[in-house]
Amino acid sequence: MTQLSPTGNATSDWGQRLWASKERLRQLLRRILDPVARLYAAKTRNTKWISEAGLAVNPVVDIIRLTRVASFSVLAGLIVLLMTGQGRELTLALAEPIADVSWARWLGWTGWLAVVQLTFVWWALSCTLMARLNLDNAKGVRRQQTKDAREKQAGKNRKDQADNSNEAEVTYPWADGFMDRTWPQQLLFACFLVYAMSIVTAAIKLNIVTWPLRVLLLVNMTLVAVGARLLWRGAADEFQPDISAGGTKATSERAADESKKPISSGMRKAMSGQAPDWEGFTVLFALAMFVVLLCVFCFLPAWGQWLGAPVVLFAFLAIATSILGALSRICHSSRFPILTTMLALPFAMSLFAGNDNHEVRSLTGPLLARPSIETALLNWRSGLGPNDCRSETDLKKRRLILVATAGGGLRAAYWTAAILGSLQDNAPQFRKCVFAISGVSGGSLGAVLFATALSEPLANDKLVCPDSRRKGFACRMDQALSRDFLGPTMGATLFPDLAQRFLPFRLFPDRAEALESAWEAAFYKEGGAKLEGGFLTLWSGQRAHPPHLLLNGTDAETGARIVTSDLDLTGRFPETLDYFDIAHAPIRLSTAAMNSARFTYVSPAGTILYPPSMPNAGLVQARIIDGGYFENFGAQTALDLLRAIKSPPKAEPTTSDDIELSVIQISSDPDLTDSSEPDFKLCGKAMGLTAPRGELGPWYERAWGRFASDSLAPIDGLLMVRESRGLLAAKQLACAVDDAGHYVHFRMKPRLWSNGGWVFGKGDERSPLGWLLTGRARDQMTDQIHCDDGTLGQLNKALAWFEATPRPRRNHECRDGNEKS
């Protein structure tokens, strides 16, 4: 057994290493805890503890300020990956099991995971290198400034030169110590740790071990270990023990003179005014990749689906860190505010008309004529067969169904398409009875996809769904919405659209066009629907027409609705603009959906110009934003349409006397409670909440409700007014039908795994809000349709309108959630 001498010197190699490691750890903890101890002592003595706090915090603030680009990049990655639902969904998509286990699929998936991992490592290394280069540059500049100041003083007064010759460089306490040596390693370790934590979170949520998950966990846990080792080595260099003397001294304490400290190559380059090593290669590589990705998302935006959102995210963070880090070094050396100028430049460029590249896409050719509501109603009635859509209570009447579907990104699109697809699969005459669909945001996308699929049938032998519960239209909807739409949107936002913000003239396409192109490519490949076709041509010709669409947007200038519809709504609804009445140009199906689904900041406000035939040709007429700003349920437009059907103008022919109106409301907010359901006993009375919500729930929820209430109450009020307005419109729409039997509400619910099965309406597992849905999120909505008693009850209630066979609950489909999730 190895013995240690009384003086502390080890008598063997491994003993020396063990003793040295112990001393390094002790000194490291001492250096970290010393500022805390000084703060506590100063405060208890009632001394100037604020000054002591400044001395303790200043070094950290100084280091973060010098490496602000790399530090902010790591913080941005942490927020996206761990603190946003879409970021967690992004990581979850990497670890999902693969349904198709063919060799080609396996190799393709493995290659994509490798690309994701390489771009992540590129980002982490960029943060580390730029932090190191910025710190070395700052130290070099400071040394040179100190040297110049001394020479200047020496030229003026020789005596002062002798008196000041022993003065050290003015630095913060840790500037040349622990923080300076280890901050780049800390950023590297933070990158590895954040990504590993996001993968572990995905593993916990999946609750099953897949081979992609095993590979990701193994690789990233190894990277965490490497990052920890590098961080430990950096800390150990600062607290190198003096073994020969039997004592321990910090490196900074052993330095008798500041001028004797070693100067790194980066510092030496900075002192001579040259660029540090590796900076040129790093920046050139980042610029080359920026140009490549800029070209990809300009000319082939749909490729973002194959690259994937993780690759786009990590690549942009790496590019931005490298380029802005180099500019930060130049900014510090030249003392010119380059970064501030870059932040101000987009605001200045926005004053030029050519900077706006968000004009709503249009097609060439004449604008097709559109029928009025009454003409469309007559055409619908004449197109019914003798037994189509007959009321089960009055055979003389025909059931007319209006659908209102709420917004909520891709989850709303999938929920809408899944509900409508399930109704169509179980009741084939459903399509004949639906007169119109009013949609908002993602609900509009689901409505457009459903209507297009009805007009372009797909052979059943081309449908391939791994989940046997999805058949026919439900399978087709699932395949069309299973692609990654976040990648094209993110890529177009961060590359061509970002570059356009710095130009006074239009050069690059906008991100809305990229998302539309991604919809067109995915839906044609997976669902057989051609969304690049003209919107109004869907109702032309002799074929069976799909339901009419009323897609709700909002005018950013007036706050009024802008409805894109195949019906002529000019002057029919209050506070409503008819899109075709102001744009006078045909558009694609994908653009019609985008007019309603301009999700906040993800998609830009679309610019509508005056047409060439008007005096103000070329000037901005309106800017259309997401329909959820006006009302997120689509219920107000459906209610206005229902009232127009019930009370048509006297000059118009009508068939409303033999129509029985029914309403299907589809909402996609998992946070809605039972209070959102209409109480038909209160119709015509108080339909809203009869009492304030107040401070209810656990203590921490009450405390959070009081947090910064002075500042947040106005913002919360604006958001809740929009929600309350939508709920009021939905309840008014429900009360506008004859009785409760003619109203159905499909409400998305959260779920909880309990006692071997899913319990809906409880728990905190919710489908995320965004443009990427994993298989687990899609399965969650399918599980609700097939396994939740409340949703099944609403589904069978609607099927009873068509005398279709009720759909029973199949326990074998709901027994084990892990098999489907």
Side-chain angles (χ1 to χ4, degrees):
M1 182 176 179
T2 305
Q3 300 293 329
L4 298 178
S5 65
T7 59
N9 293 325
T11 58
S12 68
D13 183 61
W14 72 266
Q16 291 180 4
R17 293 181 180 178
L18 179 63
W19 180 82
S21 298
K22 181 192 70 173
E23 291 298 322
R24 291 170 183 169
L25 180 61
R26 185 175 67 84
Q27 288 294 323
L28 175 63
L29 293 176
R30 178 182 176 183
R31 182 63 68 89
I32 294 174
L33 297 177
D34 181 65
V36 179
R38 288 193 293 112
L39 279 176
Y40 179 76
K43 190 173 182 180
T44 55
R45 292 195 306 267
N46 294 322
T47 58
K48 297 180 179 180
W49 64 275
I50 297 179
S51 300
E52 295 287 339
L55 291 175
V57 173
N58 275 344
V60 181
V61 175
D62 188 45
I63 294 294
I64 295 176
R65 181 183 64 82
L66 293 174
T67 61
R68 53 190 175 273
V69 173
S71 301
F72 181 79
S73 179
V74 175
L75 179 63
L78 183 148
I79 293 174
V80 170
L81 292 176
L82 295 180
M83 302 178 66
T84 63
Q86 191 67 102
R88 291 190 293 268
E89 193 80 354
L90 183 146
T91 309
L92 192 64
L94 299 174
E96 277 196 316
I98 301 176
D100 183 6
V101 293
S102 63
W103 278 103
R105 176 67 171 166
W106 187 87
L107 289 175
W109 190 265
T110 304
W112 181 66
L113 287 179
V115 173
V116 172
Q117 197 66 42
L118 286 175
T119 53
F120 162 70
V121 172
W122 175 28
W123 166 55
L125 292 178
S126 298
C127 293
T128 305
L129 287 174
M130 283 300 151
R132 181 75 273 159
L133 293 176
N134 286 335
L135 287 177
D136 285 348
N137 175 76
K139 291 171 64 178
V141 171
R142 285 178 178 177
R143 283 178 178 266
Q144 187 63 39
Q145 291 173 352
T146 303
K147 181 180 178 181
D148 294 342
R150 288 173 178 172
E151 292 177 353
K152 183 178 180 180
Q153 184 69 18
K156 292 182 178 179
N157 193 325
R158 295 288 181 179
K159 183 179 178 180
D160 291 343
Q161 178 191 15
D163 294 339
N164 298 329
S165 59
N166 294 325
E167 290 186 3
E169 175 190 353
V170 179
T171 60
Y172 292 114
W174 283 358
D176 291 292
F178 173 73
M179 287 294 292
D180 171 68
R181 289 179 180 273
T182 64
W183 186 247
Q185 290 94 323
Q186 291 182 52
L187 293 180
L188 181 68
F189 179 72
C191 289
F192 291 159
L193 186 62
V194 166
Y195 192 39
M197 289 175 61
S198 68
I199 294 173
V200 171
T201 303
I204 295 173
K205 188 172 182 179
L206 277 177
N207 202 22
I208 55 175
V209 180
T210 62
W211 74 262
L213 186 58
R214 292 190 183 98
V215 173
L216 289 171
L217 285 175
L218 176 62
V219 172
N220 288 282
M221 288 304 178
T222 303
L223 290 177
V224 168
V226 171
R229 173 60 178 166
L230 293 174
L231 180 59
W232 171 254
R233 288 185 60 183
D237 290 342
E238 170 65 10
F239 309 109
Q240 182 68 36
D242 188 358
I243 299 176
S244 61
T248 304
K249 289 185 178 180
T251 303
S252 57
E253 295 173 358
R254 290 201 306 266
D257 191 353
E258 190 72 20
S259 61
K260 296 180 181 180
K261 287 189 176 182
I263 301 178
S264 65
S265 61
M267 293 170 57
R268 189 175 293 107
K269 294 275 188 180
M271 292 176 67
S272 61
Q274 301 177 16
D277 296 334
W278 290 99
E279 185 187 46
F281 172 79
T282 303
V283 174
L284 286 177
F285 181 75
L287 286 173
M289 292 303 300
F290 179 81
V291 172
V292 169
L293 292 174
L294 179 67
C295 294
V296 167
F297 288 106
C298 279
F299 302 106
L300 299 168
W303 278 26
Q305 296 177 340
W306 286 272
L307 287 175
V311 175
V312 175
L313 173 65
F314 292 141
F316 174 77
L317 289 175
I319 292 171
T321 303
S322 300
I323 297 176
L324 295 181
L327 292 177
S328 178
R329 182 193 67 80
I330 299 173
C331 176
H332 188 270
S333 300
S334 63
R335 297 189 176 277
F336 180 79
I338 299 177
L339 297 181
T340 304
T341 303
M342 290 185 63
L343 290 176
L345 187 59
F347 294 97
M349 291 296 103
S350 65
L351 298 175
F352 295 89
N355 180 259
D356 185 1
N357 63 332
H358 303 312
E359 183 180 351
V360 177
R361 288 200 304 170
S362 60
L363 296 172
T364 58
L367 186 65
L368 299 179
R370 296 176 297 151
S372 64
I373 296 175
E374 290 71 30
T375 302
L377 193 61
L378 288 172
N379 294 338
W380 172 82
R381 180 63 181 84
S382 62
L384 296 178
N387 298 316
D388 291 338
C389 304
R390 287 198 176 275
S391 171
E392 71 277 9
T393 57
D394 188 350
L395 297 179
K396 295 181 179 179
K397 291 188 175 183
R398 304 299 181 100
R399 184 179 299 278
L400 182 147
I401 300 175
L402 299 179
V403 179
T405 177
L410 194 58
R411 76 179 181 196
Y414 189 91
W415 182 239
T416 299
I419 293 296
L420 297 178
S422 297
L423 288 170
Q424 181 61 35
D425 290 333
N426 289 278
Q429 63 170 310
F430 171 72
R431 60 172 295 171
K432 299 180 180 180
C433 303
V434 179
F435 176 71
I437 303 175
S438 171
V440 174
S441 193
S444 294
L445 177 61
V448 168
L449 180 59
F450 178 72
T452 309
L454 289 175
S455 300
E456 301 176 5
L458 188 67
N460 289 330
D461 57 354
K462 294 184 179 180
L463 296 174
V464 180
C465 277
D467 194 334
S468 60
R469 299 173 299 173
R470 302 185 182 112
K471 299 178 180 178
F473 278 89
C475 174
R476 195 173 174 187
M477 302 296 103
D478 175 78
Q479 293 297 302
L481 294 169
S482 62
R483 304 296 289 271
D484 179 2
F485 300 111
L486 182 61
T489 306
M490 184 184 296
T493 301
L494 299 177
F495 292 99
D497 223 1
L498 180 62
Q500 178 62 43
R501 304 283 70 81
F502 295 88
L503 299 176
F505 52 87
R506 180 172 181 175
L507 181 62
F508 300 110
D510 74 331
R511 55 190 184 273
E513 182 179 343
L515 184 54
E516 293 175 23
S517 300
W519 290 343
E520 294 166 4
F523 294 169
Y524 180 72
K525 180 178 176 59
E526 303 292 348
K530 297 180 180 179
L531 296 188
E532 67 271 16
F535 176 70
L536 295 180
T537 58
L538 202 62
W539 291 269
S540 63
Q542 301 298 322
R543 59 187 176 182
H545 295 168
H548 300 284
L549 296 179
L550 295 86
L551 311 179
N552 297 271
T554 306
D555 182 13
E557 275 74 22
T558 64
R561 283 174 293 180
I562 299 181
V563 181
T564 306
S565 176
D566 63 292
L567 299 175
D568 187 357
L569 303 178
T570 305
R572 297 302 304 271
F573 298 165
E575 292 296 321
T576 302
L577 298 173
D578 187 311
Y579 172 80
F580 292 106
D581 186 49
I582 61 177
H584 298 281
I587 58 175
R588 297 171 177 83
L589 282 159
S590 58
T591 306
M594 177 58 68
N595 280 350
S596 177
R598 293 184 177 270
F599 197 71
T600 307
Y601 293 117
V602 176
S603 298
T607 303
I608 304 174
L609 303 178
Y610 283 100
S613 59
M614 299 187 69
N616 297 322
L619 298 181
V620 176
Q621 182 177 190
R623 286 187 172 89
I624 184 170
I625 55 179
D626 194 273
Y629 285 99
F630 183 86
E631 183 265 304
N632 199 43
F633 284 76
Q636 186 62 54
T637 299
L639 178 61
D640 291 338
L641 178 61
L642 185 147
R643 290 169 175 169
I645 293 174
K646 280 188 172 183
S647 304
K650 295 181 179 180
E652 295 286 348
T654 179
T655 59
S656 59
D657 294 337
D658 66 341
I659 289 177
E660 186 175 73
L661 289 167
S662 298
V663 169
I664 296 176
Q665 176 72 61
I666 303 174
S667 60
S668 59
D669 186 357
D671 293 325
L672 289 181
T673 61
D674 292 339
S675 63
S676 63
E677 300 291 347
D679 187 350
F680 288 90
K681 296 179 181 179
L682 297 178
C683 286
K685 302 178 183 178
M687 293 181 292
L689 295 174
T690 57
R693 183 176 298 177
E695 287 191 349
L696 304 176
W699 66 269
Y700 51 85
E701 291 185 2
R702 299 196 301 271
W704 182 250
R706 294 189 294 269
F707 175 74
S709 59
D710 286 349
S711 302
L712 298 180
I715 300 175
D716 293 339
L718 288 173
L719 296 176
M720 294 311 298
V721 163
R722 180 183 71 97
E723 188 75 16
S724 178
R725 181 174 180 175
L727 285 173
L728 177 61
K731 292 178 180 180
Q732 289 176 335
L733 176 62
C735 289
V737 298
D738 294 335
D739 58 61
H742 298 160
Y743 176 82
V744 170
H745 184 193
F746 292 98
R747 176 165 58 93
M748 185 184 293
K749 303 176 183 178
R751 68 176 180 177
L752 174 69
W753 179 257
S754 177
N755 298 325
W758 291 115
V759 178
F760 289 89
K762 299 180 180 180
D764 58 355
E765 183 173 352
R766 294 166 170 81
S767 298
L769 183 64
W771 288 116
L772 171 65
L773 283 180
T774 61
R776 181 183 181 87
R778 301 196 307 274
D779 287 343
Q780 176 178 347
M781 288 179 266
T782 303
D783 289 339
Q784 181 179 339
I785 295 175
H786 293 270
C787 306
D788 177 53
D789 292 334
T791 306
L792 270 176
Q794 295 294 301
L795 181 65
N796 289 328
K797 180 179 178 181
L799 293 178
W801 296 345
F802 314 103
E803 299 181 353
T805 304
R807 182 173 178 81
R809 175 187 173 95
R810 297 182 174 90
N811 291 328
H812 68 279
E813 294 180 348
C814 311
R815 184 169 53 251
D816 189 357
N818 289 335
E819 295 177 359
K820 302 178 180 61
S821 303

